[in-house]
Every structure is written in structure tokens, then in C-alpha cells.
Amino acid sequence: DNESSLHVEGGVRTEYGPLTASATVYSDTFNDYIYQASTGQEDDGLPVLLWLQQDADFIGAEAEVRYDFEPNASGHWQAYGFGDIVDAELSDNTDVPRLPPKRVGLGLDWDSQGLAANVLWIHAYKQDNIAPFETPTPGYDLLNAELAYTVPSTSQFDWQVYLQGQNLMDEDIRNSTSYLKDFAPQIGRNIVIGVRAYF
């Protein structure tokens, strides 16, 4: 059957000098929500899933706080923090499969004369609101960083050379929204060097 939903969302945003903050809460009420359910069976080593439908209720919230420091001799700095959470249940009082975990994060942005850098730390909590035949997903800490330089140019293109570090703590990260999270983790520590072109 066709899936339909009613989405209700409310938010607030405030600014106080260099400080900005926002928060949003939302609710989704689904009729005939379409999802894939685990059966607990395997075929050739892969899980067997069924497409099913039933009503579902989602509720979630997210918030962010950012402080924009006055530019000075050391450059322009911005610090921020955020958090988000979502919970969802089917009409039979079981959890919706593959829910994302609640998260909190802290970040720092910096730029000065063509140079820019950022550091982002995210903590994802253990996800144990699970559907039948799912397994709990451990929490993790993710640390990413990037350093970029915009090359001066007189052409119609802006060039940027960057160095990225992802999962710098080499955490064993399992994505609770992935069908394969029990078989394959997310990528470990890795370094990326690249060039971007902006038109």
C-alpha cells in the first residue's frame, strides 16, 4: 500500500552577539510505513530480509550552539557543539529497524589568508533500541580534521589543495543504520590528499 506521513516540526533560533543557538524537535506519524525486517535467517552467509508495512511513530530533536570569535592576528575562529536524537516505534510496540544512535559533537573552524582548517569530534552512543533479530551497536568516537589552502588565481577557477584525516583514532565504527554493520566496519584511520576546483 502507499506510505503516507504527517510531519510536525518546531524550532527556535537565537543570536546574542557572536553566539548563535538553535534547537528543533519533530514528529512523524506514518501510515503503512515501509521497512525491511530481519528474519534471523541467512542465505549464503547474508541475512534474509522481508519488506513489511505497519504504522510507525518517529520523534526526534537536534540542537547546535556556535560561537564566532572576532578575527584577530591569529585568524578567524569558530567553535561549535551539537547533538541529535531520534526514536521510532512500530504499531506492534517494537523498535523501527536500523535506527541511528544519539550523538553529540564538538568542532573548531579556523581560517586566515587562504588557509583554513577544522577539527570535528563526534561521540555516538550505543544503540540498543533494536528491532527483533537485530544486534546492539557499540558506541564510538570519531575524530576528523582537515587543512586546506586556496591557491591565489586570476582565472575563473579557484583552486584548493587539502589534506584530510578521517577516523584519526582508528576506532572500530559500526553504523547502526547499515545492513552490513555486523560484517564490515566503517573505514579506519585514513589520510586523503586532494584538489578542489570552484567555478
Side-chain angles (χ1 to χ4, degrees), residues 17-198:
L19 180 68
T20 60
S22 63
T24 303
V25 295
Y26 62 90
S27 171
D28 286 287
T29 302
F30 284 89
N31 291 321
D32 294 321
Y33 178 71
I34 301 171
Y35 65 99
Q36 280 191 316
S38 297
T39 63
Q41 300 175 352
E42 291 187 356
D43 186 9
D44 290 333
L46 296 174
V48 177
L49 308 173
L50 289 178
W51 287 104
L52 297 175
Q53 279 187 289
Q54 61 176 297
D55 296 344
D57 293 314
F58 286 68
I59 187 168
E62 53 190 34
E64 180 177 350
V65 177
R66 179 178 291 267
Y67 191 90
D68 191 341
F69 293 90
E70 186 74 22
N72 54 48
S74 68
H76 180 207
W77 299 83
Q78 297 182 73
Y80 61 93
F82 68 88
D84 52 53
I85 185 173
V86 62
D87 188 33
E89 285 192 355
L90 299 167
S91 58
D92 64 2
N93 295 321
T94 61
D95 290 304
V96 169
R98 291 171 297 281
L99 285 174
K102 59 182 177 181
R103 306 182 308 160
V104 294
L106 294 173
L108 184 65
D109 295 336
W110 170 85
D111 65 86
S112 177
Q113 300 180 0
L115 278 172
N118 65 72
V119 177
L120 174 63
W121 166 79
I122 297 174
H123 176 72
Y125 290 84
K126 177 182 179 180
Q127 179 55 280
D128 51 13
N129 293 335
I130 54 176
F133 303 111
E134 283 191 323
T135 57
T137 305
Y140 62 83
D141 290 287
L142 174 65
L143 181 64
N144 294 337
E146 180 176 349
L147 176 65
Y149 176 66
T150 300
V151 181
S153 174
T154 58
S155 70
Q156 60 179 330
F157 303 105
D158 286 330
W159 296 94
Q160 189 178 73
V161 181
Y162 64 91
L163 174 67
Q164 289 180 342
Q166 301 168 340
N167 192 8
L168 292 173
M169 295 186 294
D170 201 26
E171 287 268 295
D172 181 12
I173 296 176
R174 306 283 172 161
N175 187 349
S176 64
T177 64
S178 170
Y179 293 101
L180 301 178
K181 58 109 174 177
D182 291 325
F183 302 93
Q186 300 294 292
I187 191 169
R189 182 189 297 117
N190 66 103
I191 304 297
V192 178
I193 300 174
V195 177
R196 299 187 183 103
Y198 297 96

